Amino acid sequence: MSLSLILSSALLFGAADAFVTRPSIAHAERQRHAFLNLPNAGRYASSILMASTVEGRTIVGTATPMSNFVLIRVDKTPEQTEGGIILSKSAKKKATTGTVISIGPGETHQDTGVVIPMPVAAGDKVQYGEYDGTEIDIDGEKHTLIRNSDVLVKYSGESPTLADVQVTGDSLLVLPREEEETTGGLLIAATSRKANKPSTGTVVKVGPGKTAGTGEFLPIDVAEGDMVKYRDFAGTDINIEGQDYAVVKYTDCLAKF
């Protein structure tokens, strides 16, 4: 059996078309032993495939994302508040941050055939939308698979800070402007302000731009400090250091001033 055949058939299992692996434990063991018995197996020590589990099934190799998917180990949900109050199961907020474990090679542009570079790398910390991704259990730990476009911000510290976060692609990080009163001077109740989600704000971070078919970035005609008006209910809310922001796509912005 050739080394290339063993390596190609020993990898990858699928979750939401994100990765693939061999379903048979016996087959996986045969592949592993065949690999180890090759004359030059020592030369490929870094490629020796260690056993792990995906969704409770033993596999050979590592779960590797495909296309523009990102595999993230989800941060653990806090069991209590900072004040020491134990949170009930219903009170716990779903974690939407984690560490990038591995990434796919990138999506192939349908017109040019160019592989679009991924905006994150293994080791990056990221935050994504609450309803994004497909959850998957790997070695008893909670992971999720998201597309690169689902990444709201990336950062390097334990938690996101305004100084550290970066937005990706053609996204903007906006500090929304909440209206406290009407043009006639009437105060707006807090409940009414919440129902009417702000759609105006100050740009505090700008992404590198949308990726063209050549793989290069198309610059965004917005700068930090600009005020923008964006579509009603566009953007995804995100809290950074206790302050509410919105991650808004450049294409959802209607005007700047």
Side-chain angles (χ1 to χ4, degrees):
M1 183 177 294
S2 70
L3 173 63
S4 60
L5 176 60
I6 293 169
L7 291 178
S8 62
S9 62
L11 290 176
L12 303 178
F13 167 64
D17 295 327
F19 38 70
V20 193
T21 189
R22 302 299 300 183
S24 167
I25 297 175
H27 178 83
E29 282 298 304
R30 288 196 298 271
Q31 297 285 20
R32 185 174 69 88
H33 287 302
F35 175 79
L36 293 175
N37 289 329
L38 286 175
N40 295 320
R43 292 177 51 197
Y44 306 100
S46 62
S47 300
I48 293 177
L49 307 175
M50 305 303 292
S52 58
T53 61
V54 173
E55 301 286 274
R57 173 179 292 176
T58 300
I59 66 168
V60 169
T62 56
T64 305
M66 299 174 67
S67 187
N68 63 337
F69 281 94
V70 181
L71 177 62
I72 297 168
R73 184 175 62 239
V74 180
D75 289 341
K76 295 187 183 300
T77 303
E79 297 292 331
Q80 59 185 33
T81 66
E82 293 182 359
I85 299 174
I86 304 297
L87 296 171
S88 65
K89 187 173 182 179
S90 59
K92 291 178 183 177
K93 190 175 180 180
K94 178 183 175 182
T96 56
T97 58
T99 303
V100 175
I101 300 303
S102 57
I103 60 174
E107 188 174 19
T108 302
H109 194 278
Q110 61 181 1
D111 296 324
T112 65
V114 172
V115 177
I116 305 301
M118 296 289 280
V120 295
D124 285 345
K125 295 279 289 184
V126 296
Q127 183 160 351
Y128 49 93
E130 182 177 0
Y131 302 106
D132 292 332
T134 299
E135 292 185 1
I136 184 168
D137 182 285
I138 299 178
D139 292 334
E141 288 190 293
K142 184 178 178 181
H143 291 68
T144 191
L145 282 157
I146 64 172
R147 293 189 182 274
N148 57 1
S149 56
D150 294 330
V151 175
L152 299 177
V153 295
K154 64 177 182 178
Y155 54 98
S156 57
E158 286 300 314
S159 59
T161 65
L162 187 59
D164 187 34
V165 298
Q166 300 176 50
V167 284
T168 64
D170 62 341
S171 295
L172 310 172
L173 183 64
V174 177
L175 176 62
R177 177 185 176 187
E178 295 199 23
E179 299 295 338
E180 300 290 340
E181 59 182 45
T182 66
T183 54
L186 296 176
L187 293 176
I188 300 175
T191 53
S192 297
R193 291 201 303 272
K194 187 174 182 180
N196 296 288
K197 184 178 178 180
S199 59
T200 303
T202 303
V203 176
V204 294
K205 296 276 184 175
V206 179
K210 188 176 180 64
T211 309
T214 59
E216 299 176 341
F217 289 117
L218 299 175
I220 295 177
D221 186 26
V222 175
E224 294 180 9
D226 286 347
M227 291 283 290
V228 291
K229 168 67 178 177
Y230 47 95
R231 297 181 188 277
D232 292 341
F233 302 103
T236 302
D237 295 335
I238 183 173
N239 187 282
I240 301 174
E241 298 181 294
Q243 175 67 58
D244 291 329
Y245 295 88
V247 176
V248 182
K249 289 291 185 183
Y250 173 68
T251 50
D252 285 325
C253 293
L254 308 176
K256 66 175 183 177
F257 43 92

